Amino acid sequence: MKPKQLAFELPPARPAMGRDDFFVSTANQSAVALVDGWRDWSAGKLVLTGDLGAGKTHLAHVWAAQTEAPIIAAKDVADLPLDGLPPALAVEDVDQIAGNATAEEALFHLHNALSQIGAPLLLTARTAPSRWGLTLSDLTSRMAQASLARLDPPDDQLLIVLMMKHAADRKLDLTPNMLQHIAARLPRSFAAADRVVARIDVHALAARKPANMTHVRAALADIGDDPSF
């Protein structure tokens, strides 16, 4: 009996992060326009929100390329010196520092320092600042001044494009019929689009065959059995 090949769910080696790789649809066009219009942000800052996999990091990289901004994690803001600041800055996952007094205070002082030199600030989070649970009132008031953009859940067109992108990142060939079959049955979420392609990859590798409808159905069954979707 031929042993079954073990397969592991691995992330793509190098996801595409360029402007041309970001597909604009009705679900995200307003947020994209706000990011592109960074010179008009209220108080020089924007909070970009959206679910996991919505494209916040991708848009942050696009914006960073336009403005020569470094991208840092919010948990690392205390390590950034306030002298010699860049002309712009992106800080990711800001909602994750809520309740961390050191990080909140560091972000407050960083915000003020950037404001003094007129450097725009892009912040990403799952939700709007009012829902972060910040404990530093001064930081709360500063965040309330920011422009706000939200990446909405994907529409049908964007869902298919997302699956195509994830498949390309994994060098996985999914036919239009496969994509249409998945789109008709998949929850409308960015995480589901990523997860289903990853599961197709796992099943195809385990079978040592190119992706086919058998692998697609197996991946959809995996998603259907996952209570998080």
Side-chain angles (χ1 to χ4, degrees):
M1 180 177 177
K2 183 179 177 181
K4 184 177 180 180
Q5 179 178 341
L6 292 176
F8 301 94
E9 189 168 318
L10 299 174
R14 187 177 296 173
M17 286 289 182
R19 181 64 177 86
D20 292 341
D21 302 306
F22 193 93
F23 182 80
V24 179
S25 78
T26 55
N28 59 30
Q29 61 185 3
S30 295
V32 171
L34 280 168
V35 172
D36 285 343
W38 58 271
R39 292 177 180 83
D40 298 322
W41 291 350
S42 175
K45 52 185 177 284
L46 175 79
V47 177
L48 176 64
T49 71
D51 296 333
L52 179 67
K56 298 186 297 294
T57 293
H58 192 152
L59 270 185
H61 277 81
V62 171
W63 181 77
Q66 296 174 352
T67 60
E68 300 182 357
I71 301 174
I72 64 171
K75 62 182 179 62
D76 297 327
V77 292
D79 299 327
L80 189 69
L82 297 183
D83 55 332
L85 286 171
L89 182 68
V91 182
E92 291 229 81
D93 303 318
V94 182
D95 47 337
Q96 294 183 12
I97 67 168
N100 182 331
T102 300
E104 286 193 27
E105 186 171 355
L107 182 59
F108 169 70
H109 292 302
L110 175 61
H111 167 278
N112 288 343
L114 290 168
S115 180
Q116 287 177 3
I117 63 174
L121 175 63
L122 173 66
L123 307 110
T124 72
R126 294 281 190 92
T127 59
S130 60
R131 300 181 62 186
W132 294 351
L134 296 173
T135 56
L136 183 62
S137 59
D138 286 338
L139 180 59
T140 300
S141 65
R142 296 296 189 277
M143 292 302 99
Q145 298 169 356
S147 296
L148 184 64
R150 172 160 179 81
L151 295 164
D152 291 326
D155 52 26
D156 289 357
Q157 186 182 27
L158 180 55
L159 191 69
I160 289 177
V161 171
L162 285 169
M163 290 189 291
M164 291 172 61
K165 179 181 183 299
H166 292 314
D169 288 340
R170 292 176 176 276
K171 302 188 185 307
L172 190 66
D173 186 19
L174 299 182
T175 67
N177 284 341
M178 292 181 197
L179 293 166
Q180 292 287 350
H181 182 87
I182 299 167
R185 295 161 177 82
L186 196 68
R188 268 23 185 191
S189 80
F190 298 97
D194 187 9
R195 176 75 166 157
V196 74
V197 172
R199 295 305 302 166
I200 293 170
D201 199 12
V202 167
H203 288 294
L205 286 171
R208 300 185 183 184
K209 293 181 178 179
N212 57 42
M213 285 299 297
T214 298
H215 307 139
V216 167
R217 293 188 182 97
L220 286 169
D222 293 343
I223 298 296
D225 292 337
D226 189 336
S228 65
F229 296 104

PDB file of all heavy atoms in Angstrom, residues 40-71:
ATOM      1  N   ASP A  40      -4.907  65.101   2.661  1.00  0.00           N
ATOM      2  CA  ASP A  40      -6.095  65.769   3.199  1.00  0.00           C
ATOM      3  C   ASP A  40      -6.599  65.135   4.495  1.00  0.00           C
ATOM      4  O   ASP A  40      -7.707  65.453   4.940  1.00  0.00           O
ATOM      5  CB  ASP A  40      -7.227  65.733   2.155  1.00  0.00           C
ATOM      6  CG  ASP A  40      -6.861  66.478   0.880  1.00  0.00           C
ATOM      7  OD1 ASP A  40      -6.204  67.535   0.995  1.00  0.00           O
ATOM      8  OD2 ASP A  40      -7.212  65.997  -0.214  1.00  0.00           O
ATOM      9  N   TRP A  41      -5.815  64.238   5.108  1.00  0.00           N
ATOM     10  CA  TRP A  41      -6.268  63.609   6.340  1.00  0.00           C
ATOM     11  C   TRP A  41      -6.499  64.624   7.444  1.00  0.00           C
ATOM     12  O   TRP A  41      -5.722  65.576   7.601  1.00  0.00           O
ATOM     13  CB  TRP A  41      -5.244  62.594   6.827  1.00  0.00           C
ATOM     14  CG  TRP A  41      -5.121  61.372   5.978  1.00  0.00           C
ATOM     15  CD1 TRP A  41      -5.929  60.983   4.962  1.00  0.00           C
ATOM     16  CD2 TRP A  41      -4.090  60.376   6.090  1.00  0.00           C
ATOM     17  NE1 TRP A  41      -5.481  59.818   4.423  1.00  0.00           N
ATOM     18  CE2 TRP A  41      -4.353  59.421   5.095  1.00  0.00           C
ATOM     19  CE3 TRP A  41      -2.991  60.217   6.926  1.00  0.00           C
ATOM     20  CZ2 TRP A  41      -3.538  58.301   4.926  1.00  0.00           C
ATOM     21  CZ3 TRP A  41      -2.190  59.119   6.758  1.00  0.00           C
ATOM     22  CH2 TRP A  41      -2.456  58.164   5.772  1.00  0.00           C
ATOM     23  N   SER A  42      -7.526  64.390   8.238  1.00  0.00           N
ATOM     24  CA  SER A  42      -7.809  65.245   9.382  1.00  0.00           C
ATOM     25  C   SER A  42      -6.666  65.138  10.395  1.00  0.00           C
ATOM     26  O   SER A  42      -6.286  64.035  10.805  1.00  0.00           O
ATOM     27  CB  SER A  42      -9.119  64.804  10.045  1.00  0.00           C
ATOM     28  OG  SER A  42      -9.354  65.534  11.222  1.00  0.00           O
ATOM     29  N   ALA A  43      -6.092  66.282  10.756  1.00  0.00           N
ATOM     30  CA  ALA A  43      -4.971  66.345  11.705  1.00  0.00           C
ATOM     31  C   ALA A  43      -3.782  65.510  11.244  1.00  0.00           C
ATOM     32  O   ALA A  43      -2.927  65.145  12.054  1.00  0.00           O
ATOM     33  CB  ALA A  43      -5.424  65.899  13.098  1.00  0.00           C
ATOM     34  N   GLY A  44      -3.723  65.202   9.951  1.00  0.00           N
ATOM     35  CA  GLY A  44      -2.565  64.496   9.410  1.00  0.00           C
ATOM     36  C   GLY A  44      -2.485  63.033   9.769  1.00  0.00           C
ATOM     37  O   GLY A  44      -1.406  62.421   9.670  1.00  0.00           O
ATOM     38  N   LYS A  45      -3.614  62.410  10.143  1.00  0.00           N
ATOM     39  CA  LYS A  45      -3.560  60.988  10.496  1.00  0.00           C
ATOM     40  C   LYS A  45      -4.833  60.269  10.071  1.00  0.00           C
ATOM     41  O   LYS A  45      -5.911  60.872   9.994  1.00  0.00           O
ATOM     42  CB  LYS A  45      -3.326  60.800  11.996  1.00  0.00           C
ATOM     43  CG  LYS A  45      -4.272  61.549  12.911  1.00  0.00           C
ATOM     44  CD  LYS A  45      -3.855  61.378  14.370  1.00  0.00           C
ATOM     45  CE  LYS A  45      -4.749  62.186  15.297  1.00  0.00           C
ATOM     46  NZ  LYS A  45      -4.436  63.625  15.261  1.00  0.00           N
ATOM     47  N   LEU A  46      -4.670  58.974   9.804  1.00  0.00           N
ATOM     48  CA  LEU A  46      -5.788  58.132   9.375  1.00  0.00           C
ATOM     49  C   LEU A  46      -5.725  56.808  10.111  1.00  0.00           C
ATOM     50  O   LEU A  46      -4.651  56.202  10.228  1.00  0.00           O
ATOM     51  CB  LEU A  46      -5.728  57.874   7.867  1.00  0.00           C
ATOM     52  CG  LEU A  46      -6.779  56.901   7.311  1.00  0.00           C
ATOM     53  CD1 LEU A  46      -8.117  57.616   7.153  1.00  0.00           C
ATOM     54  CD2 LEU A  46      -6.353  56.314   5.969  1.00  0.00           C
ATOM     55  N   VAL A  47      -6.875  56.356  10.599  1.00  0.00           N
ATOM     56  CA  VAL A  47      -6.994  55.013  11.160  1.00  0.00           C
ATOM     57  C   VAL A  47      -7.688  54.137  10.118  1.00  0.00           C
ATOM     58  O   VAL A  47      -8.819  54.419   9.708  1.00  0.00           O
ATOM     59  CB  VAL A  47      -7.800  55.014  12.471  1.00  0.00           C
ATOM     60  CG1 VAL A  47      -7.977  53.586  12.982  1.00  0.00           C
ATOM     61  CG2 VAL A  47      -7.101  55.866  13.521  1.00  0.00           C
ATOM     62  N   LEU A  48      -6.989  53.092   9.670  1.00  0.00           N
ATOM     63  CA  LEU A  48      -7.513  52.171   8.664  1.00  0.00           C
ATOM     64  C   LEU A  48      -7.950  50.894   9.368  1.00  0.00           C
ATOM     65  O   LEU A  48      -7.136  50.217   9.995  1.00  0.00           O
ATOM     66  CB  LEU A  48      -6.431  51.869   7.626  1.00  0.00           C
ATOM     67  CG  LEU A  48      -6.778  50.847   6.545  1.00  0.00           C
ATOM     68  CD1 LEU A  48      -7.919  51.347   5.658  1.00  0.00           C
ATOM     69  CD2 LEU A  48      -5.539  50.532   5.692  1.00  0.00           C
ATOM     70  N   THR A  49      -9.238  50.566   9.267  1.00  0.00           N
ATOM     71  CA  THR A  49      -9.758  49.405   9.974  1.00  0.00           C
ATOM     72  C   THR A  49     -10.287  48.355   9.010  1.00  0.00           C
ATOM     73  O   THR A  49     -10.583  48.636   7.848  1.00  0.00           O
ATOM     74  CB  THR A  49     -10.890  49.800  10.948  1.00  0.00           C
ATOM     75  OG1 THR A  49     -12.061  50.175  10.194  1.00  0.00           O
ATOM     76  CG2 THR A  49     -10.473  50.963  11.825  1.00  0.00           C
ATOM     77  N   GLY A  50     -10.408  47.143   9.514  1.00  0.00           N
ATOM     78  CA  GLY A  50     -10.925  46.038   8.717  1.00  0.00           C
ATOM     79  C   GLY A  50     -10.620  44.723   9.391  1.00  0.00           C
ATOM     80  O   GLY A  50      -9.749  44.631  10.261  1.00  0.00           O
ATOM     81  N   ASP A  51     -11.318  43.681   8.975  1.00  0.00           N
ATOM     82  CA  ASP A  51     -11.122  42.360   9.560  1.00  0.00           C
ATOM     83  C   ASP A  51      -9.758  41.785   9.183  1.00  0.00           C
ATOM     84  O   ASP A  51      -9.065  42.310   8.299  1.00  0.00           O
ATOM     85  CB  ASP A  51     -12.226  41.406   9.089  1.00  0.00           C
ATOM     86  CG  ASP A  51     -13.601  41.838   9.572  1.00  0.00           C
ATOM     87  OD1 ASP A  51     -13.678  42.506  10.622  1.00  0.00           O
ATOM     88  OD2 ASP A  51     -14.595  41.521   8.882  1.00  0.00           O
ATOM     89  N   LEU A  52      -9.397  40.707   9.832  1.00  0.00           N
ATOM     90  CA  LEU A  52      -8.163  39.994   9.512  1.00  0.00           C
ATOM     91  C   LEU A  52      -8.166  39.609   8.034  1.00  0.00           C
ATOM     92  O   LEU A  52      -9.132  39.025   7.532  1.00  0.00           O
ATOM     93  CB  LEU A  52      -8.049  38.742  10.377  1.00  0.00           C
ATOM     94  CG  LEU A  52      -6.812  37.865  10.151  1.00  0.00           C
ATOM     95  CD1 LEU A  52      -5.556  38.612  10.583  1.00  0.00           C
ATOM     96  CD2 LEU A  52      -6.946  36.552  10.919  1.00  0.00           C
ATOM     97  N   GLY A  53      -7.088  39.954   7.327  1.00  0.00           N
ATOM     98  CA  GLY A  53      -6.980  39.627   5.913  1.00  0.00           C
ATOM     99  C   GLY A  53      -7.640  40.624   4.987  1.00  0.00           C
ATOM    100  O   GLY A  53      -7.678  40.409   3.765  1.00  0.00           O
ATOM    101  N   ALA A  54      -8.153  41.722   5.530  1.00  0.00           N
ATOM    102  CA  ALA A  54      -8.881  42.687   4.699  1.00  0.00           C
ATOM    103  C   ALA A  54      -7.970  43.461   3.751  1.00  0.00           C
ATOM    104  O   ALA A  54      -8.439  44.040   2.781  1.00  0.00           O
ATOM    105  CB  ALA A  54      -9.646  43.673   5.580  1.00  0.00           C
ATOM    106  N   GLY A  55      -6.684  43.500   4.043  1.00  0.00           N
ATOM    107  CA  GLY A  55      -5.753  44.234   3.185  1.00  0.00           C
ATOM    108  C   GLY A  55      -5.154  45.458   3.859  1.00  0.00           C
ATOM    109  O   GLY A  55      -4.563  46.306   3.185  1.00  0.00           O
ATOM    110  N   LYS A  56      -5.281  45.546   5.182  1.00  0.00           N
ATOM    111  CA  LYS A  56      -4.737  46.711   5.890  1.00  0.00           C
ATOM    112  C   LYS A  56      -3.217  46.789   5.711  1.00  0.00           C
ATOM    113  O   LYS A  56      -2.685  47.868   5.421  1.00  0.00           O
ATOM    114  CB  LYS A  56      -5.084  46.626   7.384  1.00  0.00           C
ATOM    115  CG  LYS A  56      -6.581  46.629   7.677  1.00  0.00           C
ATOM    116  CD  LYS A  56      -6.868  46.691   9.162  1.00  0.00           C
ATOM    117  CE  LYS A  56      -6.358  45.484   9.926  1.00  0.00           C
ATOM    118  NZ  LYS A  56      -7.066  44.228   9.542  1.00  0.00           N
ATOM    119  N   THR A  57      -2.542  45.679   5.898  1.00  0.00           N
ATOM    120  CA  THR A  57      -1.086  45.667   5.754  1.00  0.00           C
ATOM    121  C   THR A  57      -0.682  45.964   4.313  1.00  0.00           C
ATOM    122  O   THR A  57       0.281  46.702   4.067  1.00  0.00           O
ATOM    123  CB  THR A  57      -0.512  44.314   6.204  1.00  0.00           C
ATOM    124  OG1 THR A  57      -0.709  44.174   7.622  1.00  0.00           O
ATOM    125  CG2 THR A  57       0.981  44.218   5.905  1.00  0.00           C
ATOM    126  N   HIS A  58      -1.428  45.407   3.375  1.00  0.00           N
ATOM    127  CA  HIS A  58      -1.134  45.657   1.961  1.00  0.00           C
ATOM    128  C   HIS A  58      -1.245  47.147   1.649  1.00  0.00           C
ATOM    129  O   HIS A  58      -0.326  47.741   1.052  1.00  0.00           O
ATOM    130  CB  HIS A  58      -2.101  44.854   1.089  1.00  0.00           C
ATOM    131  CG  HIS A  58      -1.723  44.802  -0.351  1.00  0.00           C
ATOM    132  ND1 HIS A  58      -2.067  43.752  -1.172  1.00  0.00           N
ATOM    133  CD2 HIS A  58      -1.024  45.661  -1.144  1.00  0.00           C
ATOM    134  CE1 HIS A  58      -1.605  43.972  -2.391  1.00  0.00           C
ATOM    135  NE2 HIS A  58      -0.978  45.146  -2.397  1.00  0.00           N
ATOM    136  N   LEU A  59      -2.342  47.773   2.068  1.00  0.00           N
ATOM    137  CA  LEU A  59      -2.512  49.205   1.814  1.00  0.00           C
ATOM    138  C   LEU A  59      -1.460  50.030   2.554  1.00  0.00           C
ATOM    139  O   LEU A  59      -1.012  51.069   2.048  1.00  0.00           O
ATOM    140  CB  LEU A  59      -3.914  49.657   2.222  1.00  0.00           C
ATOM    141  CG  LEU A  59      -5.002  49.597   1.159  1.00  0.00           C
ATOM    142  CD1 LEU A  59      -6.296  50.182   1.695  1.00  0.00           C
ATOM    143  CD2 LEU A  59      -4.586  50.310  -0.120  1.00  0.00           C
ATOM    144  N   ALA A  60      -1.092  49.581   3.752  1.00  0.00           N
ATOM    145  CA  ALA A  60      -0.042  50.286   4.491  1.00  0.00           C
ATOM    146  C   ALA A  60       1.268  50.261   3.711  1.00  0.00           C
ATOM    147  O   ALA A  60       1.991  51.269   3.663  1.00  0.00           O
ATOM    148  CB  ALA A  60       0.147  49.661   5.869  1.00  0.00           C
ATOM    149  N   HIS A  61       1.590  49.146   3.073  1.00  0.00           N
ATOM    150  CA  HIS A  61       2.807  49.060   2.268  1.00  0.00           C
ATOM    151  C   HIS A  61       2.717  49.951   1.027  1.00  0.00           C
ATOM    152  O   HIS A  61       3.709  50.568   0.627  1.00  0.00           O
ATOM    153  CB  HIS A  61       3.078  47.613   1.851  1.00  0.00           C
ATOM    154  CG  HIS A  61       3.776  46.805   2.901  1.00  0.00           C
ATOM    155  ND1 HIS A  61       3.123  46.235   3.967  1.00  0.00           N
ATOM    156  CD2 HIS A  61       5.086  46.487   3.055  1.00  0.00           C
ATOM    157  CE1 HIS A  61       3.993  45.582   4.730  1.00  0.00           C
ATOM    158  NE2 HIS A  61       5.182  45.731   4.206  1.00  0.00           N
ATOM    159  N   VAL A  62       1.531  49.988   0.422  1.00  0.00           N
ATOM    160  CA  VAL A  62       1.343  50.862  -0.742  1.00  0.00           C
ATOM    161  C   VAL A  62       1.559  52.320  -0.338  1.00  0.00           C
ATOM    162  O   VAL A  62       2.273  53.071  -1.021  1.00  0.00           O
ATOM    163  CB  VAL A  62      -0.073  50.667  -1.324  1.00  0.00           C
ATOM    164  CG1 VAL A  62      -0.361  51.727  -2.392  1.00  0.00           C
ATOM    165  CG2 VAL A  62      -0.224  49.271  -1.910  1.00  0.00           C
ATOM    166  N   TRP A  63       0.940  52.710   0.764  1.00  0.00           N
ATOM    167  CA  TRP A  63       1.088  54.082   1.246  1.00  0.00           C
ATOM    168  C   TRP A  63       2.520  54.371   1.646  1.00  0.00           C
ATOM    169  O   TRP A  63       3.061  55.460   1.361  1.00  0.00           O
ATOM    170  CB  TRP A  63       0.155  54.304   2.436  1.00  0.00           C
ATOM    171  CG  TRP A  63       0.214  55.684   3.003  1.00  0.00           C
ATOM    172  CD1 TRP A  63      -0.350  56.810   2.482  1.00  0.00           C
ATOM    173  CD2 TRP A  63       0.897  56.086   4.199  1.00  0.00           C
ATOM    174  NE1 TRP A  63      -0.072  57.894   3.282  1.00  0.00           N
ATOM    175  CE2 TRP A  63       0.689  57.481   4.343  1.00  0.00           C
ATOM    176  CE3 TRP A  63       1.648  55.413   5.153  1.00  0.00           C
ATOM    177  CZ2 TRP A  63       1.226  58.199   5.409  1.00  0.00           C
ATOM    178  CZ3 TRP A  63       2.178  56.126   6.216  1.00  0.00           C
ATOM    179  CH2 TRP A  63       1.973  57.514   6.345  1.00  0.00           C
ATOM    180  N   ALA A  64       3.169  53.430   2.292  1.00  0.00           N
ATOM    181  CA  ALA A  64       4.551  53.618   2.726  1.00  0.00           C
ATOM    182  C   ALA A  64       5.480  53.827   1.533  1.00  0.00           C
ATOM    183  O   ALA A  64       6.433  54.617   1.604  1.00  0.00           O
ATOM    184  CB  ALA A  64       5.007  52.417   3.549  1.00  0.00           C
ATOM    185  N   ALA A  65       5.194  53.138   0.437  1.00  0.00           N
ATOM    186  CA  ALA A  65       6.011  53.318  -0.763  1.00  0.00           C
ATOM    187  C   ALA A  65       5.843  54.716  -1.347  1.00  0.00           C
ATOM    188  O   ALA A  65       6.782  55.292  -1.905  1.00  0.00           O
ATOM    189  CB  ALA A  65       5.641  52.262  -1.807  1.00  0.00           C
ATOM    190  N   GLN A  66       4.644  55.285  -1.192  1.00  0.00           N
ATOM    191  CA  GLN A  66       4.382  56.625  -1.708  1.00  0.00           C
ATOM    192  C   GLN A  66       5.018  57.711  -0.842  1.00  0.00           C
ATOM    193  O   GLN A  66       5.411  58.759  -1.347  1.00  0.00           O
ATOM    194  CB  GLN A  66       2.874  56.876  -1.772  1.00  0.00           C
ATOM    195  CG  GLN A  66       2.107  55.985  -2.729  1.00  0.00           C
ATOM    196  CD  GLN A  66       0.608  56.192  -2.631  1.00  0.00           C
ATOM    197  OE1 GLN A  66       0.114  56.883  -1.750  1.00  0.00           O
ATOM    198  NE2 GLN A  66      -0.133  55.579  -3.542  1.00  0.00           N
ATOM    199  N   THR A  67       5.101  57.461   0.447  1.00  0.00           N
ATOM    200  CA  THR A  67       5.498  58.511   1.397  1.00  0.00           C
ATOM    201  C   THR A  67       6.864  58.287   2.045  1.00  0.00           C
ATOM    202  O   THR A  67       7.284  59.090   2.875  1.00  0.00           O
ATOM    203  CB  THR A  67       4.452  58.619   2.524  1.00  0.00           C
ATOM    204  OG1 THR A  67       4.368  57.349   3.200  1.00  0.00           O
ATOM    205  CG2 THR A  67       3.086  58.981   1.967  1.00  0.00           C
ATOM    206  N   GLU A  68       7.518  57.172   1.671  1.00  0.00           N
ATOM    207  CA  GLU A  68       8.806  56.804   2.268  1.00  0.00           C
ATOM    208  C   GLU A  68       8.678  56.587   3.780  1.00  0.00           C
ATOM    209  O   GLU A  68       9.561  56.937   4.563  1.00  0.00           O
ATOM    210  CB  GLU A  68       9.880  57.860   1.972  1.00  0.00           C
ATOM    211  CG  GLU A  68      10.131  58.059   0.484  1.00  0.00           C
ATOM    212  CD  GLU A  68      11.228  59.069   0.218  1.00  0.00           C
ATOM    213  OE1 GLU A  68      11.761  59.652   1.185  1.00  0.00           O
ATOM    214  OE2 GLU A  68      11.574  59.258  -0.967  1.00  0.00           O
ATOM    215  N   ALA A  69       7.558  56.006   4.174  1.00  0.00           N
ATOM    216  CA  ALA A  69       7.289  55.769   5.590  1.00  0.00           C
ATOM    217  C   ALA A  69       7.732  54.374   6.001  1.00  0.00           C
ATOM    218  O   ALA A  69       7.417  53.401   5.314  1.00  0.00           O
ATOM    219  CB  ALA A  69       5.795  55.920   5.868  1.00  0.00           C
ATOM    220  N   PRO A  70       8.433  54.253   7.110  1.00  0.00           N
ATOM    221  CA  PRO A  70       8.654  52.924   7.680  1.00  0.00           C
ATOM    222  C   PRO A  70       7.359  52.397   8.281  1.00  0.00           C
ATOM    223  O   PRO A  70       6.445  53.170   8.586  1.00  0.00           O
ATOM    224  CB  PRO A  70       9.718  53.169   8.755  1.00  0.00           C
ATOM    225  CG  PRO A  70       9.584  54.602   9.108  1.00  0.00           C
ATOM    226  CD  PRO A  70       9.086  55.313   7.885  1.00  0.00           C
ATOM    227  N   ILE A  71       7.266  51.082   8.431  1.00  0.00           N
ATOM    228  CA  ILE A  71       6.097  50.450   9.035  1.00  0.00           C
ATOM    229  C   ILE A  71       6.550  49.729  10.291  1.00  0.00           C
ATOM    230  O   ILE A  71       7.467  48.907  10.249  1.00  0.00           O
ATOM    231  CB  ILE A  71       5.435  49.456   8.067  1.00  0.00           C
ATOM    232  CG1 ILE A  71       4.991  50.164   6.782  1.00  0.00           C
ATOM    233  CG2 ILE A  71       4.246  48.767   8.729  1.00  0.00           C
ATOM    234  CD1 ILE A  71       4.458  49.222   5.718  1.00  0.00           C
TER     235      ILE A  71
END
